[in-house]
């Protein structure tokens, strides 16, 4: 049986268009996956944003000279749709041989087109390569679970692996570079560093690591995987406050960084070295 997403750009061979074409963008309704998590539209357990970084943006200035930029695209998680990644890559490539007055004009066009696709206001920031480089890779101030020595033999999704340990409630931020999931259309692997910031009973570090590894063959878009992790931790460990932030490695010049929280407005973790 064909996937319902097989007719998206991700599921078929496509030609690259290099003149500005907003129609290349493809929305994917968020609620198909959220219904599987038994979420209710008016009672969402989180707020957040999908932060995209685009490293292959180029256009022409009014004299025909190519210009390049690094883009940050912020899509609120309450928008009706997520933006399918291959369609976004095709759309961004379509700027390559089209002239714009300046960088601000490019950002304005992108904001209008992406907002229409997502069904809500999308913020676009374009930086020069030098501006983006100055931001660098900030130090990670969190506890890694990757150094734990333990036997693992569960590679299929199992939220029951999450548990709490005995101990006083605490505030803690955990992270792991070992998250891997699979694209629901192509089956290709997606790799990420995931940060979990919470307050409440101590989450078992070993259980958290085993749970992340159990997602190794799980199929879902980046945004859906992070929402699943948020819901699973809430249900299994019941923290008072919770944030989950996934920083996925780039594919096709794009990285996607979904952030979901019930107490923070912005993620605290910055770009990691493999991005």
């Amino acid at each position: 049986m064909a996937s319902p997403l097989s007719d998206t750009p991700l599921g078929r061979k496509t030609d690259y268009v290099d003149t500005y074409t907003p129609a290349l963008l493809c929305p994917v309704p968020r609620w198909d996956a959220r219904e599987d998590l038994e979420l209710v539209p008016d009672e969402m357990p989180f707020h957040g944003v999908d932060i995209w970084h685009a490293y292959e943006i180029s256009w022409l200035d009014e004299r025909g000279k190519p210009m390049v930029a690094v883009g940050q695209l912020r899509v609120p998680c309450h928008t009706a749709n997520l933006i399918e990644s291959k369609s976004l890559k095709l759309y961004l490539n379509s700027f390559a041989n089209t002239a714009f007055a300046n960088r601000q004009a490019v950002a304005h066009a992108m904001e209008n087109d992406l907002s229409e696709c997502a069904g809500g206001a999308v913020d676009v920031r374009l930086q020069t390569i030098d501006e983006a480089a100055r931001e660098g890779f900030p130090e990670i101030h969190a506890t890694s679970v990757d150094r734990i020595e333990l036997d693992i033999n569960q590679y299929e999704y199992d939220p029951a692996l999450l548990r709490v340990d005995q101990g006083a409630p605490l505030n803690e931020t955990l992270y792991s570079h070992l998250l891997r999931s699979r694209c629901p259309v192509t089956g290709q692997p997606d790799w990420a560093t995931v940060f979990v910031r919470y307050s409440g009973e101590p989450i078992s570090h070993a259980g958290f690591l085993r749970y992340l590894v159990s997602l190794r063959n799980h199929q879902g878009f980046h945004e859906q995987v992070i929402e699943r992790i948020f819901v699973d931790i809430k249900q299994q460990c019941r923290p008072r406050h919770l944030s989950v932030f996934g920083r996925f490695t780039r594919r096709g010049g794009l990285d996607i960084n979904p952030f979901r929280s019930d107490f923070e407005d912005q993620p605290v973790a910055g770009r990691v070295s493999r991005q």
Side-chain angles (χ1 to χ4, degrees), residues 37 39 44-47 162 194-197 208 211 215 223-245 259-264:
L37 293 174
L39 299 179
M44 293 288 286
F46 52 70
H47 54 263
L162 288 164
V194 62
F195 295 85
V196 170
R197 181 176 168 90
F208 174 59
Y211 164 73
L215 289 162
E223 302 91 336
Q224 297 166 350
V225 170
I226 295 305
E227 291 184 2
R228 180 170 293 277
I229 293 172
F230 183 99
V231 170
D232 288 343
I233 293 175
K234 267 294 190 184
Q235 291 178 345
Q236 300 293 324
C237 302
R238 303 192 179 279
R240 290 195 304 271
H241 302 296
L242 176 65
S243 294
V244 179
F245 187 31
F259 171 71
R260 302 293 184 267
S261 178
D262 59 14
F263 77 107
E264 294 181 293

Side-chain angles (χ1 to χ4, degrees), residues 112-158:
N112 286 341
D113 299 336
L114 296 172
S115 296
E116 182 176 352
C117 181
V122 174
D123 178 71
V124 174
R125 180 175 65 140
L126 299 183
Q127 296 179 295
T128 67
I129 305 301
D130 290 338
E131 288 170 344
R134 283 194 289 271
E135 294 188 354
F137 302 104
E139 184 180 354
I140 296 176
H141 297 285
T143 300
S144 171
V145 299
D146 294 351
R147 299 180 183 90
I148 299 173
E149 296 291 336
L150 75 171
D151 296 327
I152 294 180
N153 56 16
Q154 174 61 292
Y155 304 105
E156 299 300 327
Y157 169 63
D158 185 1

Side-chain angles (χ1 to χ4, degrees), residues 175-187:
Y175 77 96
S176 174
H177 297 302
L178 303 185
L179 177 61
R180 190 194 83 155
S181 56
R182 288 185 175 274
C183 171
V185 180
T186 66

Side-chain angles (χ1 to χ4, degrees), residues 68 73 77-78 83 93 130 170 202 220 261-262:
V68 296
L73 322 174
C77 75
H78 63 257
I83 300 171
N93 276 310
D130 290 338
L170 48 72
S261 178
D262 59 14

